[in-house]
Amino acid sequence: MMRFCLVIEYDGRPFMGWQRQPHGSTVQSAVEAAAHAILGEQVVVHAAGRTDAGVHARGMVAHVDIERDMTPFRLLGALNAGLRPNAVSITECALVSADFHARFSCVARHYEYRMVNRRAPLTFETGLAWRIAPALDVAAMHAAAQLLVGHHDFTTFRSAHCQATTPERTLDRLSVARNGDVITVTASARSFLHHQVRSMVGCLSLVGRGRWLAADLKAALEARDRTALGLNAPPDGLYFMRADY
C-alpha cells in the first residue's frame, strides 16, 4: 500500500462542497471516481478540511492510499485526466509516509475571502467573489478584526449545524487588506468552526459599511449566541489556500 499526498485546486460552484453526499456532486466523490476509473480500486480521499457548497480551494491538501505501484508523476497525470471535465485539478502529488494524515497531521489552515468593492456588477468573477457596492472602510475592518484574534468562544460565529465538540478556537491571524477594488480577508488557525470564516467576514463587512462599530463586533463575540451574528457572508469569495504540516 502506498500513501500519496495531493494538493487540489477546485472551483466550488458546481459542487455541493468537499464531502461526499448521497445526492449531488462533490469534490471528494469526483476525485475518488477518477481514482477508481484509473486504478480499479475503491479508495477514500481524506482532506485537510471540508468546504461548503460554492466554496473554492487553491491548495486543499488530501491523501489517498493505493495498492498499485505508481510514481507520483504518473498518478498526478492520470488523476487529472480522469477528472476532466470537472473544475478540479491536482496540482501536486508526492509519496508520503504511512503516518501522514491530511487532516490529523495538519497544524494550521489558511483561508482567504475575496470581496470586490465596486458599484458595477461582476462579469468574470461572478461566483468567485462577493461584490459589495457601498464603499468599505478597510482600516476600520482590519482594526476590528484584531478583536477576534486569539483564543475565544466563537459560538456567535458558528453554524447551528456545526459538529465540533467545542466552540472554542484559537485564531492566529485575521487581516483585511485592499488592492484597488479587491479586498482580501486572510484567516489562519489550527482549525475553524463550520461557517466561522464566512460569519467573521460578514460582520466585518458591517463594520466597513459603518453599520457596526468595533464595539458591536466585540459584543457579538462576547454574546456567545448565534442570534447575535450580524451577517453570514456568501460562499462565493471563500478559498481554502493551504495547510501546514
Side-chain angles (χ1 to χ4, degrees):
M1 187 72 71
M2 305 175 71
R3 177 162 293 186
F4 291 88
C5 176
L6 310 174
V7 178
I8 309 173
E9 177 182 275
Y10 54 85
D11 178 346
R13 288 175 293 181
F15 300 103
M16 295 179 63
W18 165 268
Q19 190 173 11
R20 191 189 314 109
Q21 304 287 340
H23 304 291
S25 178
T26 69
V27 182
Q28 182 184 27
S29 61
V31 178
E32 289 175 348
H36 177 66
I38 62 174
L39 300 169
E41 303 175 24
Q42 295 289 347
V43 301
V44 177
V45 181
H46 301 271
R50 297 174 180 176
T51 53
D52 291 331
V55 176
H56 321 289
R58 294 192 181 277
M60 177 61 75
V61 178
H63 79 262
V64 62
D65 294 328
I66 67 172
E67 295 180 2
R68 183 184 298 186
D69 188 5
M70 206 171 201
T71 66
F73 180 83
R74 286 187 58 205
L75 181 60
L76 184 148
L79 285 174
N80 281 328
L83 280 164
R84 297 189 188 107
N86 290 293
V88 182
S89 178
I90 312 299
T91 61
E92 297 178 37
C93 178
L95 190 62
V96 291
S97 63
D99 62 355
F100 172 85
H101 196 286
R103 179 183 175 190
F104 299 120
S105 301
C106 184
V107 297
R109 294 164 174 85
H110 306 274
Y111 284 88
E112 285 187 3
Y113 194 99
R114 182 181 177 89
M115 291 174 274
V116 178
N117 189 202
R118 72 183 198 189
R119 291 181 61 192
L122 299 180
T123 50
F124 300 109
E125 293 187 290
T126 301
L128 298 174
W130 181 21
R131 180 185 71 90
I132 300 179
L136 296 176
D137 183 339
V138 172
M141 293 169 68
H142 179 75
Q146 305 321 298
L147 297 171
L148 301 179
V149 175
H151 187 81
H152 303 287
D153 181 328
F154 283 99
T155 296
T156 301
F157 303 90
R158 174 190 194 185
S159 166
H161 303 292
C162 181
Q163 299 178 352
T165 57
T166 173
E168 295 186 6
R169 289 293 184 272
T170 300
L171 185 61
D172 298 317
R173 178 187 181 191
L174 188 64
S175 63
V176 187
R178 178 190 286 275
N179 183 6
D181 289 339
V182 177
I183 297 172
T184 304
V185 179
T186 303
S188 300
R190 185 181 185 93
S191 63
F192 290 90
L193 300 167
H194 189 203
H195 282 187
Q196 183 181 346
V197 177
R198 288 171 55 190
S199 295
M200 295 189 300
V201 169
C203 291
L204 289 175
S205 76
L206 297 179
V207 174
R209 298 181 209 197
R211 293 169 55 185
W212 270 24
L213 300 175
D216 296 312
L217 182 68
K218 183 179 180 181
L221 173 67
E222 293 176 346
R224 300 179 181 87
D225 184 347
R226 183 65 174 175
T227 63
L229 182 74
L231 181 65
N232 196 40
D236 307 41
L238 185 56
Y239 294 77
F240 186 104
M241 298 301 292
R242 75 177 196 276
D244 296 342
Y245 294 89

